[in-house]
């Protein structure tokens, strides 16, 4: 396992982060099983993962609770870098302290290593939230500050006060929106990009070959037609381009002797400015595979072929990095 040290800090995190959204049951993931999730977390740590990403929004606090209990019961708190987040709706200065205290209590700890805004709340200036987060840092309740889903304006509004350590963003072979503006800007400014959904919610696992095979709960993003139930965007989607790309990557994977998720994770790591890949794993086997996948790299010609195969879907989704909301409704600033 390789480790990434954030600019100007001692904080070092594994290139693979354990994503804790899917460790508890919810509408998106369906049923999840505690024994499988605990085994996945244990395996990840055995494989060198020292970084866990969670949030109050995941399972309405249940994800933080499971992570806190697991680390506490196994005496692992100080070995692991915990990242958590502030919910939109709790971003007024007066709410941020309570939000953090509740996370600390669920996580059974007195500090969070990396505290992030989850989404920008359109009703609250991000600078107000950021000032409150700086107070939390001065109080020692959080060690470092980052943002998630921040576009160029958000980065600049917090950067004028104190540069964030990281921006957590969606990025994978079929969601390349951040390549247009945000990734180059973060790279230039020394802000580590934490990649979320590196396997596009499992669409890059190899088990889906057509849009109709993806369950409705996972077919809510801008890849899919707005005719799909539960979508919020009003766009036509790009289902043909998406699945043409996925099926072409599967053929390339066969030629190279690698699997689709393996190519997906290694392609991400070929890009400059990426601090860590936050991948979900629902069981021990997925956690072990993902750790093995990040231990190898891709030849430049394979990276170039993947860039070419996924170019049509990149152009179809454009520079709006919001996976779920389109046009004026995009939550990116
Ligand atoms: N900041 C934000 O707004 C935000 C948004 C989304 C996610 N995140 C973070 O990013 C993390 C990861 O993103 P994600 O959960 O959206 O999705 P992801 O990591 O792209 O996909 C996870 C899913 O991929 C499949 N998978 C994982 N490893 C596999 C393997 N080795 N082989 C085959 N399939 C495999 C599993 O699907 P099955 O369940 O079908 O087996 C798993 O549930 C989250 O847990 C969360 O921490 C943050």
């Amino acid at each position: 396992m390789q480790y990434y040290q954030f600019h100007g800090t001692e904080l070092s995190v594994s290139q693979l982060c354990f994503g804790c959204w899917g460790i508890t049951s919810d509408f998106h993931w369906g049923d999840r099983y505690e024994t499988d999730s605990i085994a996945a977390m244990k395996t990840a740590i055995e494989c060198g993962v020292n970084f866990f990403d969670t949030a109050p929004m995941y399972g309405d606090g249940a994800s933080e609770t499971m992570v806190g209990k697991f680390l506490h019961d196994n005496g692992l708190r100080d070995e692991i870098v915990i990242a958590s987040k502030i919910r939109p709706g709790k971003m007024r200065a007066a709410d941020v302290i309570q939000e953090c205290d509740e996370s600390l209590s669920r996580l059974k700890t007195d500090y969070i290593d990396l505290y992030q805004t989850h989404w920008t709340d359109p009703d609250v200036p991000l600078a107000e939230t950021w000032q409150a987060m700086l107070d939390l840092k001065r109080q020692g309740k959080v060690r470092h500050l980052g943002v998630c889903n921040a576009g160029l304006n958000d980065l600049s509004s917090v950067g004028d006060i104190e540069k964030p350590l990281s921006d957590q963003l969606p990025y994978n072979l079929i969601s390349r929106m951040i390549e247009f503006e945000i990734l180059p800007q973060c790279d230039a400014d020394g802000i580590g990009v934490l990649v979320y959904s590196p396997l596009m919610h499992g669409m890059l696992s190899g088990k889906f070959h057509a849009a109709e095979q993806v369950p409705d709960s996972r077919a809510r993003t801008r890849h899919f037609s707005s005719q799909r139930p539960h979508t919020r965007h009003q766009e036509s989607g790009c289902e043909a381009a998406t699945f043409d790309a996925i099926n072409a990557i599967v053929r390339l994977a066969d030629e190279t002797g690698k699997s689709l998720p393996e190519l997906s994770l290694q392609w991400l790591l070929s890009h400059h400015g990426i601090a860590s890949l936050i991948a979900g794993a629902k069981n021990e086997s997925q956690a072990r595979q993902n750790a093995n996948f990040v231990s190898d790299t891709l030849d430049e010609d394979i990276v170039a072929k993947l860039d070419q195969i996924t170019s049509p879907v990149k152009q179809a989704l454009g520079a709006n990095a919001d996976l779920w909301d389109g046009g004026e409704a995009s939550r990116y600033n």
Side-chain angles (χ1 to χ4, degrees):
M1 182 67 64
Q2 308 261 346
Y3 296 84
Y4 173 94
Q5 191 165 349
F6 288 96
H7 288 254
T9 74
E10 305 270 290
L11 188 66
S12 169
V13 295
S14 46
Q15 248 179 354
L16 183 67
C17 171
F18 190 89
C20 299
W21 176 15
I23 59 174
T24 56
S25 308
D26 69 4
F27 170 76
H28 183 93
W29 297 109
D31 288 335
R32 295 299 211 198
Y33 303 98
E34 185 169 351
T35 43
D36 287 344
S37 295
I38 301 277
M41 291 192 280
K42 271 193 181 140
T43 303
I45 294 171
E46 277 161 25
C47 294
V49 169
N50 76 342
F51 189 22
F52 279 38
D53 178 71
T54 182
M57 273 173 88
Y58 303 156
D60 199 17
S63 169
E64 285 187 327
T65 301
M66 189 185 287
V67 170
K69 183 171 183 325
F70 165 70
L71 295 180
H72 180 266
D73 291 356
N74 291 282
L76 288 165
R77 169 63 193 100
D78 293 333
E79 321 280 310
I80 299 299
V81 175
I82 299 180
S84 194
K85 316 187 184 87
I86 304 175
R87 277 170 288 187
K90 299 286 177 184
M91 293 176 73
R92 286 277 174 212
D95 297 326
V96 167
I97 308 292
Q98 190 190 351
E99 176 76 345
C100 180
D101 285 343
E102 287 174 7
S103 283
L104 289 169
S105 160
R106 284 189 291 265
L107 288 164
K108 289 185 182 289
T109 182
D110 53 9
Y111 67 97
I112 291 169
D113 300 275
L114 177 63
Y115 204 41
Q116 308 155 107
T117 52
H118 200 152
W119 285 93
T120 301
D121 185 332
D123 297 328
V124 183
L126 196 55
E128 175 181 333
T129 312
W130 199 242
Q131 293 285 10
M133 292 166 77
L134 283 164
D135 283 343
L136 289 171
K137 192 172 147 190
R138 280 188 281 273
Q139 291 164 20
K141 291 182 176 179
V142 306
R143 299 243 162 116
H144 301 277
L145 300 181
V147 286
C148 297
N149 299 302
L152 299 191
N153 291 336
D154 281 344
L155 284 171
S156 130
S157 77
V158 297
D160 285 347
I161 305 167
E162 182 175 303
K163 189 173 84 170
L165 208 63
S166 53
D167 193 358
Q168 189 178 136
L169 298 159
Y171 192 28
N172 56 60
L173 274 165
I174 52 168
S175 314
R176 296 175 56 190
M177 300 84 80
I178 67 168
E179 288 181 6
F180 287 90
E181 293 174 330
I182 309 176
L183 176 59
Q185 189 67 49
C186 287
D187 194 20
D189 291 347
I191 297 169
V193 168
L194 301 176
V195 169
Y196 76 72
S197 304
L199 299 173
M200 194 51 231
H201 308 156
M203 277 166 66
L204 293 168
S205 66
K207 67 182 173 193
F208 302 119
H209 298 280
E212 309 76 65
Q213 294 170 351
V214 181
D216 286 340
S217 65
R218 294 196 198 184
R220 297 179 290 131
T221 61
R222 292 170 52 238
H223 301 87
F224 295 91
S225 153
S226 59
Q227 302 296 311
R228 290 295 290 254
H230 317 304
T231 47
R232 294 196 301 255
H233 65 78
Q234 309 295 319
E235 299 177 357
S236 52
C238 49
E239 295 181 357
T242 299
F243 283 90
D244 284 352
I246 290 176
N247 292 320
I249 305 166
V250 170
R251 289 193 291 277
L252 182 64
D254 289 345
E255 281 169 33
T256 57
K258 293 184 185 247
S259 68
L260 176 56
E262 183 173 11
L263 282 185
S264 303
L265 297 185
Q266 291 171 4
W267 175 82
L268 285 166
L269 289 176
S270 74
H271 294 84
H272 206 259
I274 304 298
S276 185
L277 308 182
I278 312 175
K282 73 171 175 198
N283 54 33
E284 183 181 338
S285 155
Q286 290 183 351
R288 192 174 304 285
Q289 281 176 2
N290 293 344
N292 285 335
F293 295 158
V294 299
S295 67
D296 201 2
T297 54
L298 282 187
D299 292 341
E300 274 176 30
D301 62 319
I302 304 294
V303 172
K305 279 185 187 161
L306 289 167
D307 284 347
Q308 194 189 5
I309 289 170
T310 57
S311 175
V313 66
K314 173 180 173 176
Q315 297 309 327
L317 289 172
N320 170 20
D322 195 326
L323 280 171
W324 294 273
D325 288 310
E328 295 283 293
S330 168
R331 292 162 292 171
Y332 273 70
N333 292 307

